[in-house]
Amino acid sequence: MNMAGKLMHAVQYNSYGGGPAGLKHVEVPVPAPKEGEVLIKQEAASINPIDWKIQKGMLRPFLPWKFPFIPVTDVAGEIADVGYGVNNLKPGDKVVSMLNTMSGGGLAEFCVAKGSLTVPRPPEVSPAEAAGLPIAALTAHMALTQSAGVKLDGSGPQKNILVTAASGGVGHYAVQLAKLGNTHVTATCGARNMEFVKSLGADEVLDYKTPDGAALRSPSGRKYDAVVHGTTGIPWSTFEPNLSENGKVIDLTPGVSTMMTFALKKLTLSKKQMVPLLLVPKGENLDYLVKLVKEGKLKTVVDSKYPLSKAEDAWAKSIDGHATGKIIVEP
């Protein structure tokens, strides 16, 4: 498929700030895959909070490394072309991929991705279901399997897990994945999402606005072996009395206070730990998650879908912070 010189619709921003109004609809050349890369004709992309946080300048001077910048990294579609050295994928293959955060490219009709972070998508898994997975489900998977030590085949010792912000992108995957292991899951969310989070498999659900919810107290009096922490603004002093002897809080959006607590707990040799999680995406883990969706063991809950022509509305919805599940953009 020779795309040289062809133009595509894309959405980009030219400077930090601006929110949804900072997004511009443009026609740009279709990118060409380099060595080890594939060109994907997009069918769906999903927006994550990190996308608009980068636009706000929360990761400067690292990201984006140059303007104009086409944001979003989580995509599903069809291979249109492959670069030199890609042997396991071919044009026409249906795939899901996580793009390089530095170069983005997801809010467009075509994008280039590393072959190593692009995996086959079986017909049972829709583009939207697949596009929801990369950042959110990989983060939940890494938090549970690596940081919390949960064995997702159910073979490990029983653990008590708390998932905060359980109705959001990472949270709704974390609840489902935790239940594949031998775990008792307590979850926090807003009152309107309590039934939804129970339907994902949570054993107990707390409304975060109630006194018990704000204190993170398990209704059955359990102490948590691990907290998959997807919200902000909860101090260590709230977590500590609820943790088991070796309990840890896995912070998915670590800021300065997390790093200080992490260092302090290390210095004082505390058994209770604050652990910052920085996602290291791996193709084999993404492939594993896609297979779980195919087998019906994991589902992507889609909050809403927007056409690429209305990407700024999807952006605003994500910034608003009340999405239940994932926000999807389709070209």
Side-chain angles (χ1 to χ4, degrees):
M1 192 170 175
N2 183 17
M3 303 298 295
K6 295 241 169 68
L7 292 177
M8 66 174 184
H9 176 197
V11 176
Q12 65 186 34
Y13 54 87
N14 300 326
S15 62
Y16 288 118
L23 299 181
K24 304 287 177 240
H25 292 265
V26 292
E27 296 284 317
V28 294
V30 172
K34 300 188 183 74
E35 184 175 347
E37 292 181 337
V38 295
L39 177 68
I40 297 172
K41 184 178 193 302
Q42 292 254 45
E43 292 174 32
S46 81
I47 294 179
N48 291 284
I50 187 69
D51 296 321
W52 50 264
K53 287 178 181 175
I54 290 170
Q55 183 200 28
K56 275 176 83 170
M58 289 168 88
L59 291 174
R60 84 170 92 176
F62 309 107
L63 287 165
W65 59 286
K66 63 176 196 271
F67 293 114
F69 184 71
I70 300 172
V72 174
T73 57
D74 293 7
V75 301
E78 183 178 307
I79 301 272
D81 194 9
V82 297
Y84 177 76
V86 176
N87 305 317
N88 56 332
L89 297 163
K90 63 187 184 307
D93 286 355
K94 298 287 190 178
V95 293
V96 51
S97 186
M98 182 172 162
L99 311 183
N100 184 331
T101 315
M102 300 291 282
S103 41
L107 284 187
E109 291 176 288
F110 290 86
C111 61
V112 288
K114 282 185 187 160
S116 58
L117 282 176
T118 302
V119 302
R121 172 171 61 83
E124 298 88 342
V125 181
S126 74
E129 288 173 308
L133 290 170
I135 283 185
L138 283 171
T139 297
H141 177 270
M142 187 172 164
L144 288 163
T145 58
Q146 290 190 21
S147 305
V150 174
K151 295 210 174 352
L152 299 188
D153 60 2
S155 67
Q158 190 177 26
K159 290 179 186 279
N160 294 322
I161 304 286
L162 171 67
V163 178
T164 64
S167 59
V170 178
H172 93 286
Y173 289 128
V175 170
Q176 297 177 74
L177 289 170
K179 288 309 294 177
L180 294 176
N182 181 14
T183 64
H184 180 280
V185 174
T186 306
T188 69
C189 62
R192 70 186 176 95
N193 282 320
M194 290 176 75
E195 288 308 313
F196 164 66
V197 171
K198 278 186 189 139
S199 77
L200 298 175
D203 298 286
E204 1 181 80
V205 184
L206 292 163
D207 171 359
Y208 72 90
K209 287 188 170 160
T210 61
D212 275 354
L216 305 176
R217 271 196 289 272
S218 157
S220 56
R222 290 162 194 262
K223 300 289 188 201
Y224 309 120
D225 299 303
V227 180
V228 178
H229 181 39
T231 181
T232 53
I234 300 177
W236 174 258
S237 56
T238 304
F239 287 115
E240 188 168 41
N242 295 298
L243 295 175
S244 64
E245 189 185 1
N246 295 308
K248 54 176 78 165
V249 177
I250 304 151
D251 191 345
L252 309 182
T253 54
V256 175
S257 66
T258 297
M259 294 309 194
M260 289 171 70
T261 305
F262 166 70
L264 186 68
K265 296 290 148 198
K266 279 271 185 256
L267 281 171
T268 55
L269 304 178
S270 163
K271 287 186 171 171
K272 297 181 181 183
Q273 295 283 336
M274 173 71 90
V275 182
L277 183 92
L278 297 169
L279 176 63
V280 181
K282 291 190 172 149
E284 64 261 33
N285 293 342
L286 185 56
D287 192 48
Y288 168 77
L289 293 163
V290 171
K291 289 193 171 92
L292 288 181
V293 175
K294 179 191 169 187
E295 291 162 13
K297 293 177 181 170
L298 180 68
K299 63 183 177 195
T300 296
V301 175
V302 175
D303 174 272
S304 45
K305 289 182 178 177
Y306 297 83
L308 186 60
S309 59
K310 297 260 193 294
E312 56 276 14
D313 295 345
W315 203 254
K317 173 88 184 187
S318 181
I319 292 171
D320 181 49
H322 294 290
T324 302
K326 298 292 299 180
I327 298 167
I328 303 294
V329 176
E330 297 173 328

